Amino acid sequence: MKRNLIIILVVILTAVAASIWFSKEESVFVKEGSLYKAVPTSSPVFVEFNSLQSIPKANPILQELSAISDFKSFLEQIEKIESLIKGNKNIQNHFAKKPVILSLDFIGKNILKPVIIGDLQSSEELKGFEILMEKLMGVPASSFQYRKYDGHRIVDIADAEGEKVIHYCAVGGLVIISPEAILVEKCIRQLSTQNITTISSFSKVNKTAGRQNGGSWYINHNKFPELCANFLNPQTNQVTNEFGEILKTNLRREVLGIRNYASWSELDMSFDANQLLLNGITVANDSLNHFLSVFEGQVPVNCQADRLLPKNTSFFIEFAFSDSELFFNRLESYFEHSNDYYKREERIKKIEDYCRSGIRNTLKSLVKSQVVAAMTTLPTQNDSETTLFIVNNPSRNENRELFEGLLQNYASRKKIEFNNLISEFETNKGKSYRIYSFPYPSLPGIWLGKAFRFVQANYAVFYDDNLVFASSKEALQKYLTDMETGTTLKSDQNYARYKQSIESKANLNTFVNVNRCLSLNETLFSSQIVKGIEANENTFRKFDFLSWQVVCENNIYFNSVNLGFNKEPQADARAFWQSNLGAPISSKPQIVVNHLDKAEKEIIVQDDNNTLHLLAASGKIIWSIPVKGKILGEIHQIDYYRNGKLQYLFNTKEKLYLIDRNGDKVANFPLIFKAPATNGVSVFDYDNNRKYRYFVACENRKVYAYSHEGNIISGWKFGQTSSAVTSCIQHFRVNGRDYIVFKDNSKVYILNRQGETRVASTAKFEPSINPLFLITTGTPKIVTSDKTGKVFYLFFDGKYAEKKTARLSENHRFTVEDIDGNGVVDFVFIDGNELKVIDEKGEELFSERFDDSLSGSVNLYTFSSKRKEIGVTDSENNRIYLFDSRGELHSGFPLSGNTEFSIGDLSGQQLNLVVGSADGGLLNYILE
């Protein structure tokens, strides 16, 4: 592939020769001919440049692409040619003012090669062209080789090393150039036979071509799939469908099957700083059974997909039509004349036999003006993708009866209870939905064709004016939750930016989130393309979306293709994976143990909609469940049944929850508190026998102790605190004795297991909002800070000591640890926009200032006994930082993220960092 690219670059250089010919008055030796006449009819695509000089080389998009070595060489060589032209008086100096065509064509077995066609009108221009070829190839004209072909002279030029060979022929007012002699010969023959100018569909699109800097692109749809297939994954996969048929799927073969999409397209390319645009028309012919002609007679319809799809949509395709009856009649006519007709009819007949209804008419009745298919969660190595299929149906009650009648017929024929196909789901807001198990998941692809074959319609639900199918019941439940909370694609800020640049009405609407879909590169593309993507991933990440719209007006098909560019790459540019949860994350993601496979950790996190998510190490969402309220503090894992299976214990202000790994409630939980909680639950296992105790402080200033089963412990005798306890309650064991420790705004409480005072400290100060810390090096002590930032050591004999630090605000965050590994503790503070580390003697180890205030707590991460690092979050700027003991940033930081983060080994291979992002995603980075 790389060799092909280099050859194309060299040929494009030579194409400038097709532009040397333009300013001096010289003797004409032949009459002007049409560039198009020499374009091979077998060419899948060619581009006509207004002039090479007009290519906007300084455009930010082209400059970014120059990070790719081959493209950089291309730009450098164009500049070299310009320099050669300007520096040689024997070469026409106004070289770049006429069009030149770059065509791609196949030789041999799907080997793609370029051919350049330019205008060459005089003997003086020919001389200038030969001089340019000498300079480019680095050899004298005396080394050129000449031969005759079909009465014309072909010139063969090899460079000094003999590695590059260029062939050209000046014929009929044109110059034809290619690294392949066979293509030059093919173009010569083309001039005297039928060529693309005699094709009516090409003539129609050609008339609309503009003169854009990026060129006019022409697509031959009969040949274009062959070009695309070259870049796709050749692997064949085998699946069994619901009819028991073994299907072999192959991307290359699928793409080759869309030769009849249309006839020709012409697209004018233009650039600006934020997008690459292609606009033009496509010609489709009903008599040739082109698929696009199914939209004939339609007018543009408002695009509704973004309000129907969740925020984490990675890809969607939408068909929209003003006259549904006409659309579906034309669709059936298209299939009647296609190669898939008999196989499609056979499958539809099987469905109709079981459902006892004309499925086509039933489906038509369910749709008013649009059908949408989408992929949200992308496939991973171990899990399949999540897909959605949506049809709009304003007559909800009538269509519900129609749909249920179809399923009732199926149940009757299968001799199963209809109710077995139904389950109920209640959203967080208490609204109930009926979810149907649907027996024909491949129906969207059977009904609508190849574009919808990726959808698996296993379950269905009626939502508002839509019938929604999904690949799993969990996907439908999450969909309903997202819709209820307004977590739609339309609410995404990046999508809103994208939408400003597209048409509000269309008939065919396709959207790709490039960053998310890059993870599919190994699935979609050939190994060579995958290597190229991986080598230039940071560049490709800056192209954030791709859209393609087709608008039918007066039976003319207008295209608009938009590739969005963002010089600041999206948050997940360096992430190993991103999982979009549909809403911003409200808490620190926690890495938790998977008791089914302890080598594969999992991640649990809550979002701003109070939905709790459990994700696999791969980023696949295992489940999402609504929780009534924000979770306070940490989520704990306990072995409630003492059988090695772990559950999640956590609390909101109102309740104490215990759920299992499936997201189901355990025992008699949740428990309702006697007063709203003010801190997160603490879990103590005094004797390591898994007879847990749970401690929670409440607004009534009481601290409640619960037994393993969730009963209030009568032996806990503590009364009330002076004010609310907002930090966690802690259990310390020192010299064989247990201490229950917590604090309010005025006092630190050091109690025994019964809630009685065990240590009455003589220290008098107002504790800060930060937790208490146990330090066992030297004399064991509890360490905390007061509201001014002064550090206190509280000893277990009631004495105390003060440590000099810096003067800090009341809202500072604090932790203590031996950061530099010298055996002496250090104090780490966050105060506003400053991170400060001070040793026990009051000496500053380092400090760091940021543009905005840091958010969340200060977190410490242990990599070894001698190596600990400090993590902080600047949520305002979506940046996270990791500093070592000297204040140096960890390699690769800062990274994108706006929550506190966790570091751990997710799958036994490397350290992972998981963090929330500003767009509602969860990011997983591999730490260097």
Side-chain angles (χ1 to χ4, degrees), residues 9 13 66 68-78:
L9 295 177
L13 313 178
S66 66
I68 302 172
S69 59
D70 287 334
F71 197 84
K72 181 180 181 181
S73 299
F74 164 62
L75 295 179
E76 289 174 347
Q77 293 294 344
I78 287 181

Side-chain angles (χ1 to χ4, degrees), residues 56-67 71 75 270-277 539 543 563-567:
K57 297 182 288 295
N59 179 270
I61 296 178
L62 295 184
Q63 286 297 305
E64 186 61 41
L65 288 172
S66 66
F71 197 84
L75 295 179
S270 60
F271 301 85
D272 63 26
N274 300 309
Q275 58 190 344
L276 183 155
L277 298 170
T539 294
F543 293 90
L563 179 60
F565 175 75
N566 188 353
K567 191 165 182 61

